[in-house]
Amino acid sequence: MRNFQSKVLLYFLGNEDIYPIPYFSDYMIVVGPYLNQRSYNYVKLKINVSPGLVSLAPILEVAKDTFSPDVLLSWNDATGHFLKETHVFNGFKGFILGDGHHMYRPIEKYVNYAKKEKFDLLIVGHRQFGKIYSTSCNIPTIWLPGIITFVDNLDPIVKTEKKIISAGQAGGYHVRRYQTILALQQLGLPIEEIQVRKEYLATLYNGSAISLNISLNGDMNFRWFETLAAGGVLICDRLCKDSGVDEFFSMEEVPTFSTIDEAYSLMKNILNNSEIRYEIASKAQTRFKKELSRSRILENLWDIIESRKPEPVFTFW
């Protein structure tokens, strides 16, 4: 993968115990409310800040002893953790938008924030929301799937445990996911709901027969990137056309379903045939590395930041 040299200040919303910090450049300063002591060769400084609204000016004062950033990337969701007063930053400002289906009126919050802080670029991970933000904010908007994910790459293996894992939350805010898993368990499928630290996920995806993913709103969530990079087999509910998944994958790489019966048939067949399972995993990972590699995603990000044209598949204009 090409190395990028621009100096980046990243506001990182995620709990680092769950979401490791992904690579954007060889020179990164990371700011956030939930950072830990993990080290990365590309992160030169971490600045812990309180949750909620945080002024940018004091952060820049601390950062300048390491370097003065050229690019500000701010990853935020609707929980209310935002950088404010970003007008003090003289470089390029990109807003990485969190998902649009959690918390209270998230889309409205994102639009108002993007306009107030006058970002140069909006970066969405969920394609179906891109046109809304682009037209509402009148700010260039790019779709970069998996932009905030950190993946571990493992080769597919032939012999796996004959079990199905589901790594997504299935509580009161994820009713359809809970109901789907329960229905399939009642049909006798060995589905294990897991909640583990991020560093263990890749091994589980790699060593289990199937990773079952039920989306919330027909979107490509983290499992699409984590599972395929780890050499796993992803079985997912059929996503909406606007998700963009058809731009990259077919049923041969990521089998999808619309009904419980379809899901049962797909997974039963894979559980009973390790060769088919290995073939699917291999095809999926090959396709993933070609279409959604970190290199390709970052090439398109830096193209637009540096005033070059990104690939049309990722744009809304």
Side-chain angles (χ1 to χ4, degrees):
M1 183 174 77
R2 171 188 160 195
N3 289 351
F4 301 92
Q5 303 296 314
S6 293
K7 296 178 175 65
V8 174
L9 176 65
L10 172 67
Y11 180 87
F12 190 73
L13 168 71
N15 182 332
E16 200 181 347
D17 290 334
I18 302 172
Y19 304 107
I21 297 167
Y23 172 87
F24 286 93
S25 167
D26 287 349
Y27 301 96
M28 293 174 58
I29 294 173
V30 181
V31 180
Y34 308 115
L35 304 179
N36 62 25
Q37 300 301 312
R38 179 171 178 170
S39 63
Y40 312 76
N41 59 9
Y42 46 87
V43 176
K44 309 307 179 185
L45 176 67
K46 291 183 181 179
I47 303 174
N48 285 281
V49 296
S50 60
L53 288 171
V54 179
S55 295
L56 180 58
I59 294 169
L60 293 175
E61 279 296 311
V62 175
K64 71 180 184 180
D65 290 335
T66 302
F67 60 73
S68 295
D70 305 310
V71 174
L72 169 66
L73 297 175
S74 186
W75 174 37
N76 308 99
D77 69 9
T79 53
H81 307 310
F82 290 94
L83 287 178
K84 64 178 181 178
E85 301 162 357
T86 62
H87 64 276
V88 300
F89 185 73
N90 295 320
F92 188 96
K93 299 192 300 186
F95 176 18
I96 303 173
L97 290 81
D99 65 51
H101 46 253
H102 279 116
M103 310 302 163
Y104 179 68
R105 301 173 81 163
I107 295 174
E108 179 181 335
K109 288 180 180 178
Y110 297 151
V111 169
N112 290 338
Y113 177 64
K115 287 181 175 180
K116 181 180 179 181
E117 298 296 337
K118 297 181 180 179
F119 281 94
D120 300 299
L121 177 68
L122 305 183
I123 305 159
V124 296
H126 295 159
R127 184 172 180 257
Q128 57 265 51
F129 295 112
K131 289 183 180 178
I132 297 173
Y133 299 129
S134 178
T135 56
S136 299
C137 300
N138 196 28
I139 297 173
T141 304
I142 189 169
W143 170 49
L144 294 177
I147 184 63
I148 208 67
T149 56
F150 181 105
V151 300
D152 292 305
N153 294 287
L154 299 173
D155 293 333
I157 59 176
V158 176
K159 294 184 178 180
T160 63
E161 291 189 58
K162 285 196 171 184
K163 68 177 182 181
I164 302 164
I165 59 172
S166 174
Q169 298 181 56
Y173 295 104
H174 309 84
V175 176
R176 188 169 70 89
R177 184 178 291 162
Y178 167 78
Q179 291 175 337
T180 302
I181 291 172
L182 180 61
L184 292 168
Q185 287 173 331
Q186 290 174 339
L187 290 173
L189 289 178
I191 300 174
E192 180 181 332
E193 297 176 68
I194 60 171
Q195 297 289 331
V196 300
R197 290 176 64 91
K198 192 80 166 184
E199 56 260 39
Y200 304 126
L201 273 176
T203 302
L204 286 169
Y205 290 138
N206 184 265
S208 302
I210 296 167
S211 173
L212 172 63
N213 181 44
I214 313 298
S215 70
L216 295 181
N217 285 306
D219 56 278
M220 293 174 69
N221 57 27
F222 282 3
R223 262 73 66 191
W224 279 82
F225 310 95
E226 295 167 345
T227 304
L228 303 186
V233 167
L234 183 72
I235 303 292
C236 185
D237 57 320
R238 195 155 295 138
L239 304 189
C240 64
K241 183 178 179 180
D242 285 344
S243 71
V245 67
D246 293 339
E247 300 282 351
F248 307 119
F249 299 105
S250 71
M251 286 283 286
E252 289 188 359
E253 297 105 19
V254 182
T256 59
F257 60 88
S258 296
T259 68
I260 295 295
D261 287 344
E262 284 182 1
Y264 178 84
S265 178
L266 278 172
M267 289 191 281
K268 196 70 176 175
N269 184 42
I270 292 170
L271 283 171
N272 290 334
N273 194 319
S274 60
E275 290 184 3
I276 289 177
R277 189 260 174 211
Y278 179 73
E279 182 180 353
I280 293 171
S282 299
K283 285 182 178 179
Q285 189 177 73
T286 298
R287 191 74 174 169
F288 173 80
K289 288 180 176 180
K290 177 183 178 182
E291 301 290 351
L292 292 176
S293 67
R294 189 72 183 166
S295 179
R296 185 185 186 189
I297 296 302
L298 290 182
E299 288 281 358
N300 279 273
L301 173 64
W302 287 107
D303 276 349
I304 195 168
I305 289 175
E306 296 169 0
S307 301
R308 297 186 296 271
K309 288 185 178 180
E311 296 176 67
V313 69
F314 297 119
T315 65
F316 297 97
W317 59 84

Short mmCIF file of all heavy atoms in Angstrom, two decimals, residues 65-122:
data_model
loop_
_atom_site.label_atom_id
_atom_site.label_comp_id
_atom_site.label_asym_id
_atom_site.label_seq_id
_atom_site.Cartn_x
_atom_site.Cartn_y
_atom_site.Cartn_z
N ASP A 65 3.68 21.02 19.25
CA ASP A 65 4.98 20.55 19.71
C ASP A 65 5.40 19.27 19.00
O ASP A 65 6.59 18.91 19.01
CB ASP A 65 4.95 20.31 21.23
CG ASP A 65 4.85 21.60 22.02
OD1 ASP A 65 5.26 22.64 21.49
OD2 ASP A 65 4.34 21.56 23.16
N THR A 66 4.43 18.57 18.41
CA THR A 66 4.73 17.37 17.61
C THR A 66 4.79 17.74 16.14
O THR A 66 5.77 17.48 15.46
CB THR A 66 3.67 16.28 17.86
OG1 THR A 66 3.64 15.96 19.25
CG2 THR A 66 3.97 15.02 17.06
N PHE A 67 3.72 18.32 15.62
CA PHE A 67 3.70 18.95 14.29
C PHE A 67 2.40 19.73 14.14
O PHE A 67 1.43 19.51 14.87
CB PHE A 67 3.87 17.93 13.16
CG PHE A 67 2.82 16.84 13.08
CD1 PHE A 67 1.53 17.10 12.65
CD2 PHE A 67 3.14 15.53 13.40
CE1 PHE A 67 0.57 16.10 12.56
CE2 PHE A 67 2.21 14.51 13.32
CZ PHE A 67 0.91 14.80 12.90
N SER A 68 2.40 20.64 13.18
CA SER A 68 1.18 21.38 12.86
C SER A 68 0.48 20.67 11.71
O SER A 68 1.05 20.55 10.62
CB SER A 68 1.52 22.82 12.46
OG SER A 68 2.06 23.52 13.56
N PRO A 69 -0.73 20.18 11.92
CA PRO A 69 -1.39 19.37 10.89
C PRO A 69 -1.82 20.19 9.68
O PRO A 69 -2.13 21.37 9.77
CB PRO A 69 -2.62 18.81 11.64
CG PRO A 69 -2.86 19.75 12.76
CD PRO A 69 -1.52 20.28 13.16
N ASP A 70 -1.83 19.49 8.53
CA ASP A 70 -2.31 20.08 7.27
C ASP A 70 -3.77 19.74 7.02
O ASP A 70 -4.46 20.46 6.30
CB ASP A 70 -1.49 19.54 6.09
CG ASP A 70 0.00 19.75 6.27
OD1 ASP A 70 0.40 20.88 6.59
OD2 ASP A 70 0.76 18.77 6.11
N VAL A 71 -4.20 18.61 7.58
CA VAL A 71 -5.55 18.09 7.32
C VAL A 71 -6.21 17.73 8.64
O VAL A 71 -5.59 17.08 9.50
CB VAL A 71 -5.49 16.84 6.41
CG1 VAL A 71 -6.88 16.22 6.25
CG2 VAL A 71 -4.90 17.20 5.05
N LEU A 72 -7.45 18.16 8.80
CA LEU A 72 -8.27 17.77 9.94
C LEU A 72 -9.34 16.80 9.46
O LEU A 72 -10.11 17.12 8.54
CB LEU A 72 -8.93 19.00 10.57
CG LEU A 72 -10.02 18.73 11.62
CD1 LEU A 72 -9.43 18.07 12.86
CD2 LEU A 72 -10.76 20.01 11.99
N LEU A 73 -9.40 15.62 10.06
CA LEU A 73 -10.46 14.65 9.81
C LEU A 73 -11.18 14.43 11.13
O LEU A 73 -10.55 14.09 12.13
CB LEU A 73 -9.90 13.33 9.28
CG LEU A 73 -9.19 13.39 7.93
CD1 LEU A 73 -8.58 12.04 7.59
CD2 LEU A 73 -10.15 13.83 6.82
N SER A 74 -12.49 14.63 11.13
CA SER A 74 -13.27 14.52 12.36
C SER A 74 -14.36 13.49 12.20
O SER A 74 -15.26 13.65 11.37
CB SER A 74 -13.88 15.89 12.71
OG SER A 74 -14.51 15.86 13.97
N TRP A 75 -14.25 12.38 12.97
CA TRP A 75 -15.25 11.31 12.93
C TRP A 75 -16.22 11.52 14.10
O TRP A 75 -15.82 11.48 15.26
CB TRP A 75 -14.58 9.94 13.05
CG TRP A 75 -15.55 8.79 13.16
CD1 TRP A 75 -16.75 8.66 12.53
CD2 TRP A 75 -15.40 7.61 13.96
NE1 TRP A 75 -17.34 7.48 12.87
CE2 TRP A 75 -16.54 6.81 13.75
CE3 TRP A 75 -14.40 7.16 14.83
CZ2 TRP A 75 -16.72 5.58 14.39
CZ3 TRP A 75 -14.58 5.94 15.46
CH2 TRP A 75 -15.71 5.16 15.24
N ASN A 76 -17.49 11.74 13.77
CA ASN A 76 -18.49 12.03 14.78
C ASN A 76 -19.77 11.26 14.51
O ASN A 76 -20.07 10.92 13.38
CB ASN A 76 -18.82 13.53 14.80
CG ASN A 76 -17.60 14.41 14.92
OD1 ASN A 76 -17.11 14.93 13.92
ND2 ASN A 76 -17.08 14.57 16.12
N ASP A 77 -20.51 10.97 15.58
CA ASP A 77 -21.86 10.45 15.41
C ASP A 77 -22.82 11.32 16.21
O ASP A 77 -22.45 12.40 16.68
CB ASP A 77 -21.95 8.96 15.78
CG ASP A 77 -21.78 8.69 17.27
OD1 ASP A 77 -21.76 9.65 18.07
OD2 ASP A 77 -21.68 7.51 17.64
N ALA A 78 -24.04 10.85 16.38
CA ALA A 78 -25.07 11.69 16.99
C ALA A 78 -25.07 11.65 18.51
O ALA A 78 -26.00 12.16 19.15
CB ALA A 78 -26.45 11.27 16.46
N THR A 79 -24.05 11.08 19.13
CA THR A 79 -23.99 11.04 20.59
C THR A 79 -23.64 12.40 21.20
O THR A 79 -23.76 12.60 22.40
CB THR A 79 -22.96 10.00 21.08
OG1 THR A 79 -21.70 10.27 20.45
CG2 THR A 79 -23.42 8.60 20.73
N GLY A 80 -23.17 13.33 20.36
CA GLY A 80 -22.88 14.67 20.87
C GLY A 80 -21.42 14.96 21.12
O GLY A 80 -21.09 16.00 21.70
N HIS A 81 -20.52 14.06 20.71
CA HIS A 81 -19.09 14.29 20.86
C HIS A 81 -18.57 14.94 19.57
O HIS A 81 -18.41 14.27 18.55
CB HIS A 81 -18.35 12.98 21.13
CG HIS A 81 -18.92 12.19 22.27
ND1 HIS A 81 -19.16 12.75 23.50
CD2 HIS A 81 -19.31 10.89 22.35
CE1 HIS A 81 -19.66 11.82 24.32
NE2 HIS A 81 -19.76 10.69 23.62
N PHE A 82 -18.30 16.24 19.63
CA PHE A 82 -17.91 16.98 18.43
C PHE A 82 -16.77 17.95 18.75
O PHE A 82 -16.69 18.49 19.86
CB PHE A 82 -19.08 17.81 17.89
CG PHE A 82 -20.19 17.02 17.29
CD1 PHE A 82 -21.30 16.65 18.05
CD2 PHE A 82 -20.17 16.64 15.96
CE1 PHE A 82 -22.34 15.93 17.49
CE2 PHE A 82 -21.21 15.92 15.39
CZ PHE A 82 -22.29 15.56 16.16
N LEU A 83 -15.94 18.21 17.74
CA LEU A 83 -15.04 19.35 17.80
C LEU A 83 -15.83 20.61 17.46
O LEU A 83 -16.68 20.60 16.57
CB LEU A 83 -13.91 19.20 16.78
CG LEU A 83 -12.82 18.17 17.07
CD1 LEU A 83 -11.83 18.14 15.91
CD2 LEU A 83 -12.09 18.49 18.37
N LYS A 84 -15.56 21.69 18.17
CA LYS A 84 -16.23 22.95 17.85
C LYS A 84 -15.17 24.02 17.56
O LYS A 84 -14.00 23.85 17.86
CB LYS A 84 -17.15 23.39 18.98
CG LYS A 84 -16.47 23.72 20.30
CD LYS A 84 -17.48 24.18 21.34
CE LYS A 84 -16.80 24.54 22.66
NZ LYS A 84 -17.75 25.04 23.67
N GLU A 85 -15.67 25.11 16.96
CA GLU A 85 -14.80 26.25 16.64
C GLU A 85 -13.63 25.83 15.75
O GLU A 85 -12.47 26.21 15.96
CB GLU A 85 -14.32 26.92 17.92
CG GLU A 85 -15.49 27.43 18.77
CD GLU A 85 -15.11 27.71 20.23
OE1 GLU A 85 -13.95 27.44 20.59
OE2 GLU A 85 -15.98 28.16 20.99
N THR A 86 -13.95 25.03 14.73
CA THR A 86 -12.91 24.54 13.84
C THR A 86 -12.45 25.60 12.84
O THR A 86 -11.54 25.35 12.04
CB THR A 86 -13.38 23.28 13.06
OG1 THR A 86 -14.52 23.63 12.26
CG2 THR A 86 -13.76 22.17 14.02
N HIS A 87 -13.04 26.80 12.91
CA HIS A 87 -12.61 27.89 12.03
C HIS A 87 -11.16 28.30 12.31
O HIS A 87 -10.52 28.94 11.46
CB HIS A 87 -13.53 29.11 12.20
CG HIS A 87 -13.47 29.72 13.56
ND1 HIS A 87 -14.22 29.24 14.61
CD2 HIS A 87 -12.73 30.74 14.08
CE1 HIS A 87 -13.97 29.95 15.71
NE2 HIS A 87 -13.07 30.87 15.41
N VAL A 88 -10.64 27.91 13.48
CA VAL A 88 -9.25 28.27 13.82
C VAL A 88 -8.25 27.43 13.02
O VAL A 88 -7.05 27.73 13.02
CB VAL A 88 -8.98 28.09 15.33
CG1 VAL A 88 -9.90 28.98 16.15
CG2 VAL A 88 -9.12 26.63 15.76
N PHE A 89 -8.73 26.40 12.35
CA PHE A 89 -7.84 25.53 11.57
C PHE A 89 -7.76 26.04 10.14
O PHE A 89 -8.77 26.25 9.48
CB PHE A 89 -8.37 24.09 11.58
CG PHE A 89 -7.45 23.11 10.91
CD1 PHE A 89 -6.27 22.72 11.51
CD2 PHE A 89 -7.78 22.56 9.67
CE1 PHE A 89 -5.41 21.82 10.90
CE2 PHE A 89 -6.94 21.66 9.05
CZ PHE A 89 -5.76 21.29 9.67
N ASN A 90 -6.55 26.22 9.64
CA ASN A 90 -6.35 26.82 8.33
C ASN A 90 -6.21 25.81 7.20
O ASN A 90 -6.14 26.20 6.03
CB ASN A 90 -5.11 27.72 8.35
CG ASN A 90 -5.29 28.91 9.27
OD1 ASN A 90 -6.37 29.50 9.33
ND2 ASN A 90 -4.24 29.26 10.01
N GLY A 91 -6.15 24.52 7.53
CA GLY A 91 -5.97 23.51 6.49
C GLY A 91 -7.28 22.95 5.98
O GLY A 91 -8.36 23.52 6.16
N PHE A 92 -7.19 21.79 5.36
CA PHE A 92 -8.35 21.08 4.80
C PHE A 92 -9.12 20.39 5.91
O PHE A 92 -8.53 19.72 6.76
CB PHE A 92 -7.88 20.06 3.76
CG PHE A 92 -8.99 19.41 2.99
CD1 PHE A 92 -9.36 19.88 1.75
CD2 PHE A 92 -9.68 18.31 3.52
CE1 PHE A 92 -10.39 19.28 1.04
CE2 PHE A 92 -10.71 17.71 2.82
CZ PHE A 92 -11.07 18.20 1.57
N LYS A 93 -10.46 20.53 5.90
CA LYS A 93 -11.30 19.95 6.95
C LYS A 93 -12.28 18.92 6.36
O LYS A 93 -13.11 19.27 5.52
CB LYS A 93 -12.09 21.02 7.68
CG LYS A 93 -11.23 22.06 8.39
CD LYS A 93 -12.04 22.93 9.33
CE LYS A 93 -13.14 23.70 8.64
NZ LYS A 93 -13.81 24.64 9.54
N GLY A 94 -12.18 17.67 6.80
CA GLY A 94 -13.08 16.62 6.37
C GLY A 94 -13.89 16.08 7.53
O GLY A 94 -13.34 15.84 8.62
N PHE A 95 -15.17 15.89 7.32
CA PHE A 95 -16.10 15.40 8.35
C PHE A 95 -16.49 13.97 7.98
O PHE A 95 -17.13 13.73 6.96
CB PHE A 95 -17.32 16.32 8.41
CG PHE A 95 -18.42 15.90 9.35
CD1 PHE A 95 -18.22 14.98 10.38
CD2 PHE A 95 -19.70 16.44 9.21
CE1 PHE A 95 -19.23 14.61 11.24
CE2 PHE A 95 -20.73 16.09 10.06
CZ PHE A 95 -20.50 15.17 11.07
N ILE A 96 -16.06 12.99 8.80
CA ILE A 96 -16.44 11.59 8.61
C ILE A 96 -17.72 11.36 9.41
O ILE A 96 -17.72 11.38 10.64
CB ILE A 96 -15.33 10.64 9.09
CG1 ILE A 96 -14.02 10.93 8.36
CG2 ILE A 96 -15.76 9.18 8.87
CD1 ILE A 96 -12.83 10.15 8.90
N LEU A 97 -18.83 11.15 8.73
CA LEU A 97 -20.13 11.07 9.38
C LEU A 97 -20.40 9.67 9.91
O LEU A 97 -20.19 8.67 9.20
CB LEU A 97 -21.25 11.47 8.41
CG LEU A 97 -21.31 12.95 8.04
CD1 LEU A 97 -20.31 13.29 6.95
CD2 LEU A 97 -22.72 13.33 7.57
N GLY A 98 -20.87 9.58 11.13
CA GLY A 98 -21.29 8.31 11.69
C GLY A 98 -22.58 7.83 11.05
O GLY A 98 -23.10 8.46 10.12
N ASP A 99 -23.09 6.70 11.52
CA ASP A 99 -24.28 6.16 10.88
C ASP A 99 -25.49 7.06 11.13
O ASP A 99 -25.53 7.85 12.06
CB ASP A 99 -24.54 4.72 11.30
CG ASP A 99 -24.87 4.57 12.77
OD1 ASP A 99 -25.76 5.29 13.26
OD2 ASP A 99 -24.27 3.71 13.44
N GLY A 100 -26.48 6.91 10.25
CA GLY A 100 -27.67 7.77 10.30
C GLY A 100 -28.89 7.12 10.91
O GLY A 100 -30.00 7.61 10.74
N HIS A 101 -28.71 6.01 11.64
CA HIS A 101 -29.88 5.32 12.18
C HIS A 101 -29.77 5.05 13.68
O HIS A 101 -30.53 4.26 14.22
CB HIS A 101 -30.12 4.00 11.43
CG HIS A 101 -28.88 3.18 11.22
ND1 HIS A 101 -28.28 3.05 10.00
CD2 HIS A 101 -28.13 2.46 12.08
CE1 HIS A 101 -27.21 2.28 10.10
NE2 HIS A 101 -27.10 1.91 11.36
N HIS A 102 -28.84 5.71 14.36
CA HIS A 102 -28.76 5.61 15.81
C HIS A 102 -29.01 6.98 16.44
O HIS A 102 -28.74 8.00 15.83
CB HIS A 102 -27.37 5.12 16.26
CG HIS A 102 -27.20 3.64 16.18
ND1 HIS A 102 -26.30 3.04 15.35
CD2 HIS A 102 -27.82 2.63 16.83
CE1 HIS A 102 -26.36 1.73 15.47
NE2 HIS A 102 -27.27 1.46 16.37
N MET A 103 -29.45 6.97 17.66
CA MET A 103 -29.64 8.18 18.47
C MET A 103 -30.80 9.03 17.92
O MET A 103 -31.54 8.62 17.05
CB MET A 103 -28.35 9.00 18.57
CG MET A 103 -27.15 8.19 19.00
SD MET A 103 -27.40 7.37 20.61
CE MET A 103 -26.11 6.14 20.57
N TYR A 104 -30.89 10.24 18.44
CA TYR A 104 -32.03 11.11 18.15
C TYR A 104 -31.70 12.06 17.00
O TYR A 104 -30.77 12.84 17.08
CB TYR A 104 -32.39 11.91 19.41
CG TYR A 104 -33.55 12.87 19.25
CD1 TYR A 104 -34.85 12.40 19.04
CD2 TYR A 104 -33.34 14.24 19.30
CE1 TYR A 104 -35.91 13.28 18.90
CE2 TYR A 104 -34.40 15.13 19.16
CZ TYR A 104 -35.68 14.64 18.96
OH TYR A 104 -36.74 15.51 18.81
N ARG A 105 -32.46 11.99 15.93
CA ARG A 105 -32.38 12.87 14.77
C ARG A 105 -30.93 13.05 14.28
O ARG A 105 -30.43 14.17 14.16
CB ARG A 105 -33.03 14.21 15.10
CG ARG A 105 -34.48 14.06 15.50
CD ARG A 105 -35.10 15.34 16.00
NE ARG A 105 -35.51 16.20 14.90
CZ ARG A 105 -36.36 17.22 15.05
NH1 ARG A 105 -36.88 17.48 16.24
NH2 ARG A 105 -36.68 17.96 14.03
N PRO A 106 -30.26 11.96 13.99
CA PRO A 106 -28.84 12.05 13.63
C PRO A 106 -28.58 12.83 12.35
O PRO A 106 -27.61 13.60 12.28
CB PRO A 106 -28.41 10.59 13.50
CG PRO A 106 -29.67 9.84 13.21
CD PRO A 106 -30.74 10.57 13.96
N ILE A 107 -29.38 12.63 11.33
CA ILE A 107 -29.13 13.30 10.05
C ILE A 107 -29.22 14.82 10.21
O ILE A 107 -28.38 15.57 9.70
CB ILE A 107 -30.11 12.80 8.98
CG1 ILE A 107 -29.86 11.31 8.69
CG2 ILE A 107 -30.00 13.61 7.70
CD1 ILE A 107 -30.85 10.67 7.75
N GLU A 108 -30.22 15.26 10.96
CA GLU A 108 -30.36 16.70 11.22
C GLU A 108 -29.14 17.25 11.96
O GLU A 108 -28.63 18.33 11.63
CB GLU A 108 -31.62 16.95 12.04
CG GLU A 108 -31.87 18.42 12.38
CD GLU A 108 -33.12 18.61 13.22
OE1 GLU A 108 -34.03 17.76 13.16
OE2 GLU A 108 -33.16 19.62 13.96
N LYS A 109 -28.64 16.51 12.93
CA LYS A 109 -27.46 16.95 13.68
C LYS A 109 -26.24 17.06 12.78
O LYS A 109 -25.48 18.03 12.86
CB LYS A 109 -27.17 15.98 14.83
CG LYS A 109 -28.17 16.03 15.97
CD LYS A 109 -27.81 15.04 17.06
CE LYS A 109 -28.81 15.09 18.21
NZ LYS A 109 -28.48 14.09 19.26
N TYR A 110 -26.06 16.07 11.90
CA TYR A 110 -24.90 16.09 11.02
C TYR A 110 -24.96 17.28 10.06
O TYR A 110 -23.96 17.96 9.82
CB TYR A 110 -24.81 14.80 10.21
CG TYR A 110 -24.60 13.55 11.01
CD1 TYR A 110 -25.08 12.32 10.56
CD2 TYR A 110 -23.93 13.57 12.22
CE1 TYR A 110 -24.89 11.16 11.29
CE2 TYR A 110 -23.73 12.42 12.96
CZ TYR A 110 -24.22 11.21 12.49
OH TYR A 110 -24.03 10.06 13.21
N VAL A 111 -26.13 17.50 9.48
CA VAL A 111 -26.29 18.59 8.51
C VAL A 111 -26.01 19.94 9.18
O VAL A 111 -25.26 20.78 8.64
CB VAL A 111 -27.70 18.57 7.89
CG1 VAL A 111 -27.97 19.85 7.10
CG2 VAL A 111 -27.88 17.36 6.99
N ASN A 112 -26.59 20.15 10.35
CA ASN A 112 -26.39 21.42 11.05
C ASN A 112 -24.92 21.62 11.44
O ASN A 112 -24.37 22.72 11.33
CB ASN A 112 -27.27 21.49 12.29
CG ASN A 112 -28.74 21.61 11.95
OD1 ASN A 112 -29.11 22.04 10.86
ND2 ASN A 112 -29.61 21.25 12.88
N TYR A 113 -24.28 20.54 11.89
CA TYR A 113 -22.87 20.63 12.30
C TYR A 113 -21.97 20.91 11.11
O TYR A 113 -21.07 21.77 11.17
CB TYR A 113 -22.46 19.32 12.99
CG TYR A 113 -21.01 19.26 13.39
CD1 TYR A 113 -20.49 20.11 14.35
CD2 TYR A 113 -20.15 18.31 12.83
CE1 TYR A 113 -19.15 20.05 14.73
CE2 TYR A 113 -18.82 18.25 13.20
CZ TYR A 113 -18.32 19.11 14.15
OH TYR A 113 -17.00 19.05 14.52
N ALA A 114 -22.20 20.20 10.01
CA ALA A 114 -21.36 20.38 8.82
C ALA A 114 -21.47 21.81 8.29
O ALA A 114 -20.45 22.41 7.89
CB ALA A 114 -21.78 19.39 7.74
N LYS A 115 -22.67 22.37 8.30
CA LYS A 115 -22.85 23.75 7.82
C LYS A 115 -22.19 24.75 8.77
O LYS A 115 -21.51 25.68 8.33
CB LYS A 115 -24.34 24.06 7.70
CG LYS A 115 -25.04 23.40 6.53
CD LYS A 115 -26.51 23.81 6.51
CE LYS A 115 -27.23 23.29 5.29
NZ LYS A 115 -28.66 23.71 5.29
N LYS A 116 -22.39 24.54 10.06
CA LYS A 116 -21.85 25.49 11.04
C LYS A 116 -20.33 25.54 10.99
O LYS A 116 -19.72 26.62 11.06
CB LYS A 116 -22.32 25.12 12.44
CG LYS A 116 -21.83 26.06 13.54
CD LYS A 116 -22.34 25.65 14.91
CE LYS A 116 -21.83 26.59 15.99
NZ LYS A 116 -22.31 26.18 17.35
N GLU A 117 -19.70 24.37 10.90
CA GLU A 117 -18.24 24.31 10.94
C GLU A 117 -17.60 24.47 9.57
O GLU A 117 -16.38 24.53 9.46
CB GLU A 117 -17.79 23.00 11.59
CG GLU A 117 -18.24 22.83 13.04
CD GLU A 117 -17.63 23.87 13.97
OE1 GLU A 117 -16.56 24.42 13.64
OE2 GLU A 117 -18.23 24.13 15.03
N LYS A 118 -18.42 24.54 8.53
CA LYS A 118 -17.94 24.81 7.16
C LYS A 118 -16.83 23.85 6.72
O LYS A 118 -15.71 24.26 6.37
CB LYS A 118 -17.46 26.27 7.06
CG LYS A 118 -18.58 27.28 7.30
CD LYS A 118 -18.10 28.71 7.18
CE LYS A 118 -19.25 29.68 7.43
NZ LYS A 118 -18.81 31.11 7.34
N PHE A 119 -17.17 22.57 6.75
CA PHE A 119 -16.23 21.55 6.30
C PHE A 119 -16.02 21.63 4.79
O PHE A 119 -16.91 22.04 4.04
CB PHE A 119 -16.72 20.16 6.70
CG PHE A 119 -16.47 19.82 8.14
CD1 PHE A 119 -17.44 20.05 9.11
CD2 PHE A 119 -15.25 19.30 8.54
CE1 PHE A 119 -17.21 19.75 10.44
CE2 PHE A 119 -15.00 19.00 9.87
CZ PHE A 119 -15.99 19.23 10.83
N ASP A 120 -14.85 21.21 4.36
CA ASP A 120 -14.54 21.17 2.93
C ASP A 120 -15.03 19.90 2.26
O ASP A 120 -15.21 19.87 1.04
CB ASP A 120 -13.02 21.27 2.73
CG ASP A 120 -12.44 22.55 3.30
OD1 ASP A 120 -12.84 23.62 2.84
OD2 ASP A 120 -11.61 22.46 4.23
N LEU A 121 -15.22 18.83 3.05
CA LEU A 121 -15.59 17.54 2.50
C LEU A 121 -16.39 16.75 3.52
O LEU A 121 -16.06 16.75 4.71
CB LEU A 121 -14.34 16.74 2.13
CG LEU A 121 -14.54 15.32 1.60
CD1 LEU A 121 -15.21 15.35 0.22
CD2 LEU A 121 -13.20 14.58 1.50
N LEU A 122 -17.44 16.08 3.05
CA LEU A 122 -18.20 15.14 3.87
C LEU A 122 -17.87 13.73 3.38
O LEU A 122 -17.87 13.47 2.18
CB LEU A 122 -19.70 15.39 3.76
CG LEU A 122 -20.19 16.80 4.08
CD1 LEU A 122 -21.72 16.86 4.00
CD2 LEU A 122 -19.72 17.25 5.45
#
